[in-house]
Amino acid sequence: MCGIAGIIGEVHDKTTLNRMVSIMRHRGPDASGFFSFGAVQFGHCRLSINDLSQEANQPFVSEDKNLSVIVNGEVYNFKELRADLENQGFHFRSKSDSEVLLHGYAHYGTNIIEKINGMFAVAIYDIKANKVFLARDRLGIKPLYYHHGNKRFVFGSEIKAIAQCVEVDLQTDFQALNEYLVFENCFSNRTLNYNIKSVLPGEIVSIDVSTLSLARDSFWLPKFNYSLSPSGGTYKEYLSTVEKAVTRHLLSDVPVGAYLSSGVDSSTVTYWAAKILKGRELKTYTGSFGMKGFYDEWVPAKKIATAFQCQSMNVSISPEDFIENIEDVLWHLDEPKVGMGSFSQYMVAKTAAKDVKVILTGHGGDELFAGYPIFKVLYGQNQLMNLFRHSTSRELMFAIYFLVGPYFKKGIKYFLPEVNSPNNIRAMVHPDVLKELEIQNPYGALEKLKRTTENSYEFLTLNYLKHYLPALFSVEDKISMAHSLESRTPLCDNEILDLALSVPLWKKLQSFEPKHIPKVAMRGKLPPLVYNIPKKGFPTPLLFWFKHELQNFMREFILDNLEFARFFKREQVENLIRSHCRKKINTPFLEISAHKLWMIINLILYFKNQKYRYLR
């Protein structure tokens, strides 16, 4: 994994590209390289994973000097692609997986992109065509941003790299801000900065070097193609597909580890990795908060690791860690995204990076195989008695929220928790900014997506694939790369994604069992305790810490730095802090108020970083 950057067009300061690459050095501390021809400049910083030699350093340039390529990510099927290209007469200078994009483009053009099974963000300069192509993998596992100006086009793996181009105006996108305030996420290709966009998952952005005109096209769009295997065949197909996916994702010339919670997905990935690597070669990492019950994943995770003969590492996370690291977390994130998990992920990645350069995760299993309560709600909404009879108390809470909530909060009908309603925002935000927000529609992208789908299940799945998972992956990428650690997601392999889109909801929730297919398929391979633990999703106890250990820090940090997010009304912020800290009973409303406080902290640090262009 690496960092890529580039400039097309006029550049007054010749050191700009150097600064762009330098500020992403955490993404690639092992080597750096540059390419320049005419109006195009490419920069690259490398984290050496496959082929550690200098021959694998980038940018790659073709022998005839007509092509240059920079890549961030991994191509898991590169051996098959390389063999095909060698048969066509192409010669490779390295054993790197990324080099197949250079020769693949020379032979197939941009069609090579759809042949790749991997995670990637790539830039290709075709000198003869005088065009630059940017592309991002199917699910947006690797980030890629750009600024399209009148005289220059700038791109990079991180927003902070683009911010080093001083000509880029770092003004706020109020549509994106409105979406973030409601959902803790922003949709389409928006970022919180109006002049910086994201290449969408499965998209190719082409730029004409002469005119700087831009065109966007999709090389992959999710399609539902329901086709069940014979009785029992779906489980066997799942097992075979996951085993092959994990095998591909173990491609590495450096040590590999795995995140391990007590859940089915991370346990499944760890099982196959341990089996392939022979157990003791694999280290697992689990975060713990010194709390029992719902927030304790260390005890069961250690038992699971022992069953697989892995070395298990307990990463202790404390309130003091939050105080010491929260500014670093938000600096690396570029902009806030999807919830409070980024802090705890940051702490686990920090420890893992001391031992390994590659980490496997279980991301994607819930979204692809119906692991969340909302899937169960959709499946059982026309058979409520069965839904209630086959639901835990926690699942019933979600069922009531999503069945009744849309009558009170519009956002819930899109199957997303609504952190702030429009009424909340009106109360919290000063009138001048409120005018900007109220002319935007935070539900617009969701409404547009919903109109393209045939039923609620397909809308929910596409919502996850297009909006939620890319945001989750952006966080995972930047949090791991903060420590020069490559994060991989075997359960989002192309073949697993295709399988998931071929299975209807009733099969994924057979007998009202969430994640039915992975659970049945892995039975006998995973320890029985995995099946008896309620779903958690690596929760972070900030709602408690904000009431107790972090109360003073949280209050002082927000109120002392509110000038960076001055559109919030100070009195309303103080009321929110008081209300959260005074609540005696832990309810879902306490979780929501904790998210509101987290959002304010995030926005304070985002606007602070933008003000100083991420220089510190």
Side-chain angles (χ1 to χ4, degrees), residues 121-175:
V122 57
I124 302 168
Y125 181 25
D126 184 332
I127 294 176
K128 281 189 174 181
N130 207 27
K131 287 187 176 182
V132 171
F133 300 94
L134 306 181
R136 193 171 170 211
D137 60 73
R138 288 181 173 192
L139 295 180
I141 300 172
K142 296 295 102 191
L144 187 55
Y145 303 92
Y146 64 88
H147 163 74
H148 185 205
N150 292 327
K151 296 184 178 180
R152 68 194 59 79
F153 182 96
V154 185
F155 68 88
S157 296
E158 297 187 359
I159 291 172
K160 65 176 67 67
I162 296 175
Q164 301 318 296
C165 185
V166 296
E167 296 90 347
V168 178
D169 185 356
L170 302 184
Q171 68 183 82
T172 302
D173 184 329
F174 287 102
Q175 172 69 24

Side-chain angles (χ1 to χ4, degrees), residues 65-217:
K65 310 299 183 184
N66 285 324
L67 294 176
S68 181
V69 174
I70 46 178
V71 185
N72 168 33
E74 301 292 348
V75 180
Y76 299 120
N77 62 336
F78 88 98
K79 291 182 180 179
E80 298 93 324
L81 294 173
R82 176 172 175 144
D84 171 56
L85 291 165
E86 286 177 329
N87 287 337
Q88 304 296 331
F90 289 93
H91 300 284
F92 286 73
R93 84 181 195 199
S94 73
K95 296 179 181 179
S96 164
D97 58 296
S98 296
E99 193 179 354
V100 298
L101 276 154
L102 178 73
H103 304 302
Y105 177 84
H107 187 64
Y108 293 108
T110 55
N111 290 335
I112 185 61
I113 302 297
E114 62 190 61
K115 296 178 182 291
I116 295 173
N117 187 351
M119 56 178 188
F120 58 87
V122 57
I124 302 168
Y125 181 25
D126 184 332
I127 294 176
K128 281 189 174 181
N130 207 27
K131 287 187 176 182
V132 171
F133 300 94
L134 306 181
R136 193 171 170 211
D137 60 73
R138 288 181 173 192
L139 295 180
I141 300 172
K142 296 295 102 191
L144 187 55
Y145 303 92
Y146 64 88
H147 163 74
H148 185 205
N150 292 327
K151 296 184 178 180
R152 68 194 59 79
F153 182 96
V154 185
F155 68 88
S157 296
E158 297 187 359
I159 291 172
K160 65 176 67 67
I162 296 175
Q164 301 318 296
C165 185
V166 296
E167 296 90 347
V168 178
D169 185 356
L170 302 184
Q171 68 183 82
T172 302
D173 184 329
F174 287 102
Q175 172 69 24
L177 179 60
N178 206 2
E179 292 169 351
Y180 177 73
L181 289 172
V182 176
F183 295 113
E184 282 188 287
N185 197 6
C186 49
F187 308 126
S188 186
N189 67 343
R190 296 185 188 91
T191 72
L192 286 174
N193 188 289
Y194 184 80
N195 291 304
I196 299 176
K197 308 299 182 185
S198 174
V199 177
L200 288 176
E203 183 178 61
I204 297 175
V205 174
S206 58
I207 306 97
D208 186 294
V209 175
S210 298
T211 64
L212 292 187
S213 60
L214 179 149
R216 298 168 58 195
D217 190 29

Side-chain angles (χ1 to χ4, degrees), residues 230-278:
S231 179
T234 303
Y235 309 118
K236 293 178 183 177
E237 189 175 359
Y238 176 85
L239 278 181
S240 172
T241 306
V242 171
E243 181 180 11
K244 287 186 291 185
V246 174
T247 301
R248 281 192 286 269
H249 281 67
L250 287 172
L251 169 74
S252 177
D253 292 331
V254 296
V256 179
Y259 291 144
L260 181 60
S261 67
S262 54
V264 172
D265 295 326
S266 66
S267 297
T268 295
V269 170
T270 302
Y271 167 83
W272 287 113
K275 184 177 181 181
I276 295 162
L277 293 176
K278 311 302 180 189

